[in-house]
């Protein structure tokens, strides 16, 4: 039997190995899971609307299959829209986890009402489907339209400001509906400044993978 290895599909194209491997590094540090990461081609701004999601889906499926061929015993699609999740689950012989539905499931486990921070005014469909009537609302940080905008100066402060609006509306936890929020380490500022739990979609996916792989 192969040793457990989580294959991570990044949906932002980059030739920077540290960037591509950042989500895997976060999961390894938290859960002591071996990871291998790769990114889909030709999408330098990732997935941020229906058009870019449709464009990404066949690439995600191909990349996930390639990671399994290279020894991955489970797959995490590191995108809160869960692109190609159903297709990958049908096609691959290993567990496949979507970061969005994983984050929503973990958020529900915390109890209370959930606010969502993402790239659009509406949450990704997989997040909405899981949260149901526990969803308080969803906001996009000012000036953030695609995941790479989170790397701009001031983006963390603007994301915290949006989170503060959600807390004022009754949110008792904040769910990140963009895995780029993992890349910038947003969970710490949300917890420290707003005093509520922050559900990081990448780490939520890693948590479920830790169950699926062992």
């Amino acid at each position: 039997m192969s040793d457990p290895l989580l294959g991570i599909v990044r949906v932002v194209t980059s030739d920077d190995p540290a960037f591509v491997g950042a989500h895997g590094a976060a999961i390894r540090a938290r859960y002591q899971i071996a990871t291998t990461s790769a990114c889909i081609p030709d999408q330098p701004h990732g997935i941020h609307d229906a058009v870019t999601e449709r464009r990404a889906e066949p690439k995600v499926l191909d990349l996930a299959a390639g990671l399994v061929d290279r020894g991955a015993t489970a797959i995490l699609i590191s995108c809160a829209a869960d692109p190609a999740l159903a297709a990958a689950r049908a096609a691959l012989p290993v567990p496949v986890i979507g970061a969005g539905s994983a984050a929503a499931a973990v958020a529900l486990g915390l109890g209370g009402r959930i606010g969502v921070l993402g790239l659009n005014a509406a949450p990704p469909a997989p997040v909405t489907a899981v949260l149901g009537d526990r969803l308080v609302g969803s906001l996009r940080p000012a000036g953030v339209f695609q995941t790479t905008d989170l790397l701009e100066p001031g983006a963390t402060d603007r994301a915290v400001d949006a989170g503060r609006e959600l807390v004022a509306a009754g949110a008792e936890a904040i769910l990140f509906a963009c895995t780029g929020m993992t890349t910038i380490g947003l969970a710490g500022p949300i917890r420290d400044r707003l005093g509520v739990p922050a559900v990081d979609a990448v780490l939520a996916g890693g948590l479920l993978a830790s169950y699926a792989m062992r």
Side-chain angles (χ1 to χ4, degrees), residues 4 26-35 210 214:
I27 288 172
R28 286 196 304 274
R30 178 68 66 92
Y31 303 112
Q32 292 76 57
I33 295 173
T35 67
S210 73
R214 297 177 181 176

Side-chain angles (χ1 to χ4, degrees), residues 5-14 17 19-25 27-28 34-43 46-47 52-53 55-70 72-85 87-89 92 94-100 147 178-180 182-183 201-203 205-206 209 213:
L5 177 66
L6 179 62
I8 299 176
V9 175
R10 297 295 310 272
V11 301
V12 180
T13 306
S14 174
F19 178 86
V20 174
H23 294 177
I27 288 172
R28 286 196 304 274
T35 67
T36 182
S37 301
C39 62
I40 64 173
D42 303 321
Q43 295 204 207
I47 292 173
T52 50
E53 183 177 350
R55 188 180 303 150
E57 285 175 343
K59 304 174 190 177
V60 168
L61 183 56
D62 287 347
L63 184 54
L67 288 169
V68 172
D69 288 343
R70 286 156 44 190
T73 57
I75 295 293
L76 171 62
I77 300 171
S78 191
C79 174
D82 292 358
L85 177 61
R89 284 177 169 168
L92 301 178
V94 301
V96 183
I97 296 160
T147 188
C178 173
T179 56
T182 301
T183 307
V202 171
L203 295 180
M213 297 168 69

Side-chain angles (χ1 to χ4, degrees), residues 177-198:
C178 173
T179 56
M181 294 174 180
T182 301
T183 307
I184 66 169
L186 183 60
I190 290 287
R191 289 192 301 263
D192 295 344
R193 299 188 206 176
L194 304 183
V196 298

Side-chain angles (χ1 to χ4, degrees), residues 99-125:
S101 50
V106 170
L108 288 183
L110 292 173
R113 305 176 72 200
I114 312 301
V116 175
L117 283 181
L119 298 180
N120 296 285

